[in-house]
Amino acid sequence: SQTIHQWPATLVQPVGSPLSLECTVEGTSNPNLYWYRQAAGRGLQLLFYSVGIGQISSEVPQNLSASRPQDRQFILSSKKLLLSDSGFYLCAWSIGTGGSNQPQHFGDGTRLSIL
Amino acid sequence: AQSVTQPDIHITVSEGASLELRCNYSYGATPYLFWYVQSPGQGLQLLLKYFSGDTLVQGIKGFEAEFKRSQSSFNLRKPSVHWSDAAEYFCAVGASGTYKYIFGTGTRLKVLA
């Protein structure tokens, strides 16, 4: 069966520090991968998605970036965090051979607090 | 533009009562529709999905949803709510021809003992 791992679960960082959140999927090949940010009362905001190694689509211009160095690894990064980057970050995957007719499967999220 | 609306931000029901959570979508073609549940501090879990065919869809945990094209709705129902159902519920639509999904802003369910 497929599983998705996301870490760390909680992170407290000072303003201006770098960020690296990692997500890995097991049990499937060539998944579509997604990063979302969730703010209270505002639902899920799609940040990045990837349909293959090295392919990244950005949905929201900001100081975050994403990379996919391996088939089942998706990394969210920042060089300098802002206060507004605080939030709950979710990684998700869906079957690579399907489009949006396939459901997404989510990790447990990372709670990021910027001080 | 495609959109998903969940009109109720909060809903409170008594344990054992029936539940209906509303979801309306705006989409030109037949949409791909999903309901997810999120417990505090956790990720989203898929409850059910609709692509085509029977408009009444059964999901996990005793939930069901009905697709009504004429009303552009995909409401989630449960005949008898349990205290463990307290969570936030998200409706989502898959944008055809893309790899993207559009989520509603969620409905937070509180269950009274």
Side-chain angles (χ1 to χ4, degrees), chain B residues 71-104:
Chain B
Q71 299 178 20
S72 297
S73 68
F74 188 55
N75 294 348
L76 182 71
R77 302 194 295 243
K78 187 169 185 177
S80 178
V81 171
H82 189 262
W83 64 266
S84 60
D85 293 324
E88 190 154 22
Y89 292 79
F90 291 92
C91 181
V93 61
S96 179
T98 77
Y99 296 95
K100 298 192 287 186
Y101 304 77
I102 301 164
F103 284 80

Side-chain angles (χ1 to χ4, degrees), chain A residues 57-73:
Chain A
S57 295
S58 175
E59 291 295 299
V60 182
Q62 54 199 331
N63 70 321
L64 298 172
S65 62
S67 62
R68 184 171 178 173
Q70 300 180 42
D71 181 42
R72 291 168 290 175
Q73 184 184 30

Side-chain angles (χ1 to χ4, degrees), chain A residues 1-9 21-28 33-35 72-76 89-93 105-110:
Chain A
S1 64
Q2 302 91 356
T3 56
I4 179 169
H5 302 281
Q6 196 180 334
W7 69 91
L21 302 181
E22 189 163 343
C23 173
T24 59
V25 179
E26 297 177 357
T28 188
L33 296 171
Y34 303 80
W35 278 112
R72 291 168 290 175
Q73 184 184 30
F74 206 25
I75 297 173
L76 183 69
Y89 288 81
L90 289 160
C91 181
W93 72 274
H105 306 276
F106 288 81
D108 289 334
T110 295

Side-chain angles (χ1 to χ4, degrees), chain B residues 23-33 50-56 66-75:
Chain B
C23 173
N24 294 99
Y25 65 89
S26 172
Y27 193 71
T30 298
Y32 309 126
L33 294 162
Y50 173 79
F51 300 151
S52 64
D54 193 348
T55 56
L56 186 62
E66 186 171 13
F67 171 62
K68 293 185 177 180
R69 183 188 301 277
S70 62
Q71 299 178 20
S72 297
S73 68
F74 188 55
N75 294 348

Side-chain angles (χ1 to χ4, degrees), chain A residues 34 38 59 100-102 104 107, chain B residues 36 38 43 51 95 98-99 101:
Chain A
Y34 303 80
Q38 185 177 25
E59 291 295 299
S100 60
N101 61 338
Q102 297 295 327
Q104 293 182 302
Chain B
Y36 291 87
Q38 183 182 32
F51 300 151
T98 77
Y99 296 95
Y101 304 77

